[in-house]
Amino acid sequence: QAKLEESQQANTEDILLPEEKTETQGNSGEGQTEETQEEAADQSGELQATQSERARTLSFSENSLIEWPASGSVLINYSMDKTVYFSTLEEYKYNPALIIGGAVNDQVISAGKGIVKSIDRTPQEGTTVTVDMGNGYEAIYGQLQNVQVKTGDSVEAKTVLGYLAEPTRYY
């Protein structure tokens, strides 16, 4: 239980709403000494360099196989060429994702090897984890809670990323 709470606490710091990101970015450096600003910049630069090196070793391609990330079946297919009916919104929309069913608290695993690029929160997808799989390919996992990874983490196929949350009103 303590590990779960610690993980939840650590991950909520990575998750910023869009308005928080803007505000945080706009205030970066305020109240910090030049020395702490330089240390933060050095650490950020080192993290980005390490992530870039690891990303170069990833070799995902259109022929690569991926794992099924959740326990359920497809509820809504990917569709960017025609609209799909979203019953919760009572409207037709394009669907830029594959919507897989599952029960709240089911594990969501990484479909393949990669590096956690970002952890975000949006009204549509809830908490999302984006994994850079290499060669320009990314996997984005949404509707998550209790995220188990941090930005910059390397993950293997079948690594638990988090657990299914209650779906947002969009899904």
Side-chain angles (χ1 to χ4, degrees):
Q1 182 65 27
K3 278 188 172 185
L4 180 60
E5 288 173 7
E6 183 182 347
S7 173
Q8 289 172 334
Q9 226 173 19
N11 285 312
T12 56
E13 293 170 8
D14 288 342
I15 301 169
L16 298 175
L17 296 173
E19 60 270 14
E20 291 174 325
K21 286 183 183 177
T22 304
E23 183 178 279
T24 302
Q25 290 168 351
N27 293 330
S28 64
E30 287 183 21
Q32 292 181 340
T33 66
E34 285 183 32
E35 188 174 300
T36 58
Q37 289 176 4
E38 288 174 10
E39 288 173 9
D42 286 346
Q43 290 173 353
S44 176
E46 288 173 17
L47 177 62
Q48 288 175 348
T50 303
Q51 287 176 353
S52 294
E53 290 169 19
R54 285 186 284 174
R56 281 188 286 249
T57 64
L58 298 173
S59 60
F60 193 85
S61 74
E62 62 187 38
N63 297 320
S64 297
L65 298 176
I66 59 175
E67 298 292 328
W68 198 247
S71 62
S73 57
V74 175
L75 299 177
I76 305 174
N77 272 312
Y78 173 88
S79 178
M80 291 302 290
D81 58 346
K82 62 181 179 183
T83 58
V84 176
Y85 186 69
F86 281 68
S87 58
T88 56
L89 299 174
E90 297 180 346
E91 65 181 49
Y92 285 88
K93 297 175 51 155
Y94 291 107
N95 185 36
L98 185 65
I99 310 304
I100 302 170
V104 172
N105 294 319
D106 278 357
Q107 287 184 342
V108 176
I109 62 169
S110 179
K113 181 178 178 178
I115 298 169
V116 178
K117 181 178 177 180
S118 65
I119 300 171
D120 299 298
R121 182 167 181 76
T122 67
Q124 292 82 14
E125 291 88 26
T127 299
T128 63
V129 172
T130 301
V131 176
D132 179 352
M133 299 176 80
N135 296 331
Y137 290 91
E138 293 180 343
I140 303 171
Y141 308 84
Q143 309 291 333
L144 298 177
Q145 65 180 347
N146 301 327
V147 174
Q148 303 293 300
V149 293
K150 298 184 305 272
T151 302
D153 284 356
S154 290
V155 295
E156 297 294 323
K158 299 184 181 180
T159 298
V160 175
L161 301 174
Y163 298 87
L164 283 177
E166 288 286 341
T168 63
R169 73 178 195 94
Y170 293 83
Y171 297 98

